[in-house]
Amino acid sequence: MSDIKTRENAVVTVEDEVRQGIELLFYAYRDFTAEPDAMLARYNFGRAHHRVIYFVGRHPQMSVSELLGILRITKQSLARVLGQLIRQGFITQNANRADRRQRLLSLTTQGIELERQLSENQRQRIQRAFEEAGPQAVEGFRRVMTNVISGETDRVRFRRGRR
Amino acid sequence: MSDIKTRENAVVTVEDEVRQGIELLFYAYRDFTAEPDAMLARYNFGRAHHRVIYFVGRHPQMSVSELLGILRITKQSLARVLGQLIRQGFITQNANRADRRQRLLSLTTQGIELERQLSENQRQRIQRAFEEAGPQAVEGFRRVMTNVISGETDRVRFRRGRR
DNA sequence: GTTTTTATGTCAGACATGTTGACATATTTT
DNA sequence: AAAATATGTCAACATGTCTGACATAAAAAC
């Protein structure tokens, strides 16, 4: 009744599909983060440093509160990681001239290089996954993943043709 | 040349597609884990407890080394989490009669109930995401996510019609 | 039947990531 | 002038992970 029949005539229940979806997220995320984590360990950094470097690289001149809004962690949690990255010369801060309370964050040359190294493996992994699956599958992936995201604010980041 | 043209005639480069794929994984995983994490905090448990409860529930009578192989953490890391779950009556151990070195793990009635509560939100989230995206998108999601996974051993878990 | 390997457990110490709570400072808005 | 905002900082704590070392029981290999 609510079963799905595949080409091979196997029967997959909705529960099975959903359970597999949950597990796909676990396994994919586990493998997606494994290699950058190993590289970060050599700098005595963790995954949190990668996330900060990634998003600052993606949105140069972003404010601390914007970054907090994306990461969904407390400012105290961010402070330690961000402080290390600033002290070690991967990120710079400069006051927003329009609102001098804000500290705008950007990657230094060194930060750009680290970001590139860290994310290269992930970029290759995703690009290969996309190529092997084909454009139609990529569109399906995008639709499903966007629906998994909670808020409209974040979903709009992934409307087609957006950058 | 290597650009992709959407129906709206917007141009999306391969780099953009890949970058969005990376970010989709971040945002989706962040929101996928947020609610169970909040529930776990009420038990003084963390995400690691959820993963253990989930996979033991999924594979009753599994051995400790099987579980370690899925989670990809060290036995010392698992020991704390697993020990708490056993002491607090969510998981039981019993020696494998065929190989008495092995401790086979299963959920207790209490463990089954906790698993159900924790995963209910995730099941709903994925089911809704699948329904809104449609069966073709789900198939694309499955194909892409399977390709993101590193090893063939784990990939075969997601062949169609498999359980 | 002794030796080696395997499965598991445990202790200790370290570090990264996250939390709450409290308070400080500079700047902008009201 | 007062209130709100953006950011920073100190302290204490829980959790998750790691490496390294050592222990025990049982199975497998010789």
Side-chain angles (χ1 to χ4, degrees):
Chain A
M1 201 104 90
S2 69
D3 294 344
I4 295 155
K5 298 197 171 59
T6 65
R7 265 160 302 176
E8 298 80 11
N9 232 23
V11 172
V12 181
T13 64
V14 169
E15 295 93 85
D16 274 346
E17 281 246 308
V18 168
R19 182 185 47 66
Q20 286 201 5
I22 289 174
E23 295 184 15
L24 277 167
L25 273 166
F26 167 75
Y27 286 106
Y29 201 77
R30 182 197 66 182
D31 291 348
F32 176 70
T33 50
E35 292 207 33
D37 282 0
M39 297 180 57
L40 287 154
R42 298 202 289 268
Y43 293 82
N44 286 321
F45 287 162
R47 198 177 293 178
H49 298 81
H50 187 187
R51 291 197 285 247
V52 169
I53 285 187
Y54 178 85
F55 283 109
V56 172
R58 171 86 172 83
H59 305 283
Q61 299 286 105
M62 84 189 304
S63 72
V64 172
S65 51
E66 277 179 278
L67 183 53
L68 285 173
I70 287 175
L71 299 177
R72 301 272 173 89
I73 58 176
T74 59
K75 67 175 175 182
Q76 295 93 326
S77 299
L78 176 60
R80 182 164 29 194
V81 169
L82 186 55
Q84 289 172 319
L85 291 170
I86 291 168
R87 281 195 302 278
Q88 297 185 35
F90 295 101
I91 287 182
T92 49
Q93 281 179 315
N94 49 81
N96 181 357
R97 285 205 291 176
D99 179 346
R100 298 190 48 246
R101 291 171 304 181
Q102 288 185 8
R103 310 297 158 80
L104 304 184
L105 305 171
S106 295
L107 295 183
T108 61
T109 311
Q110 198 190 343
I112 291 167
E113 176 56 18
L114 180 55
E115 195 286 324
R116 203 195 54 69
Q117 282 178 32
L118 287 174
S119 302
E120 187 51 31
N121 171 268
Q122 297 189 326
R123 279 190 265 270
Q124 278 180 24
R125 179 182 294 270
I126 300 300
Q127 189 171 334
R128 189 174 33 69
F130 281 4
E131 282 166 2
E132 287 168 11
Q136 215 180 357
V138 172
E139 180 55 22
F141 165 82
R142 173 205 295 276
R143 288 166 62 94
V144 169
M145 291 294 271
T146 305
N147 288 340
V148 173
I149 295 170
S150 291
E152 188 57 23
T153 322
D154 287 329
R155 286 185 181 192
V156 297
R157 301 181 196 274
F158 301 102
R159 299 265 186 268
R160 277 235 70 142
R162 213 168 168 289
R163 34 178 31 236
Chain B
M1 197 104 92
S2 69
D3 295 344
I4 296 155
K5 287 172 181 82
T6 64
R7 266 158 302 175
E8 298 82 10
N9 233 24
V11 172
V12 182
T13 65
V14 170
E15 295 93 87
D16 275 346
E17 280 245 308
V18 168
R19 182 186 46 64
Q20 287 203 5
I22 288 174
E23 296 184 15
L24 277 166
L25 273 166
F26 167 75
Y27 286 105
Y29 202 77
R30 182 197 65 182
D31 292 349
F32 176 69
T33 49
E35 292 207 33
D37 282 359
M39 297 180 56
L40 287 153
R42 298 202 289 270
Y43 292 82
N44 286 320
F45 287 162
R47 197 177 294 177
H49 297 81
H50 188 186
R51 290 196 286 248
V52 170
I53 285 186
Y54 178 85
F55 283 110
V56 173
R58 170 86 172 84
H59 305 283
Q61 300 286 103
M62 84 190 304
S63 71
V64 171
S65 51
E66 277 181 277
L67 182 53
L68 285 172
I70 288 175
L71 299 177
R72 300 275 172 88
I73 58 176
T74 60
K75 66 177 175 179
Q76 296 92 327
S77 300
L78 177 60
R80 181 159 33 185
V81 170
L82 186 55
Q84 289 172 317
L85 290 170
I86 291 168
R87 280 194 302 279
Q88 296 185 36
F90 294 101
I91 286 182
T92 49
Q93 281 180 315
N94 49 81
N96 182 356
R97 285 204 290 175
D99 180 345
R100 299 192 44 249
R101 292 171 304 181
Q102 288 184 9
R103 310 296 157 81
L104 304 185
L105 306 171
S106 295
L107 295 184
T108 61
T109 310
Q110 198 191 342
I112 292 168
E113 175 56 17
L114 179 57
E115 194 285 324
R116 201 194 55 69
Q117 281 178 33
L118 288 174
S119 301
E120 186 52 30
N121 172 268
Q122 296 189 326
R123 279 191 264 271
Q124 278 181 25
R125 178 182 296 268
I126 300 301
Q127 189 170 336
R128 189 176 32 70
F130 280 5
E131 282 166 2
E132 286 169 10
Q136 216 180 356
V138 172
E139 179 55 23
F141 165 82
R142 173 207 296 276
R143 287 166 63 95
V144 169
M145 291 293 273
T146 305
N147 287 340
V148 173
I149 295 170
S150 291
E152 188 59 21
T153 321
D154 286 330
R155 288 185 179 192
V156 296
R157 300 182 197 273
F158 301 103
R159 299 265 186 267
R160 278 234 69 143
R162 214 167 168 290
R163 37 176 29 238

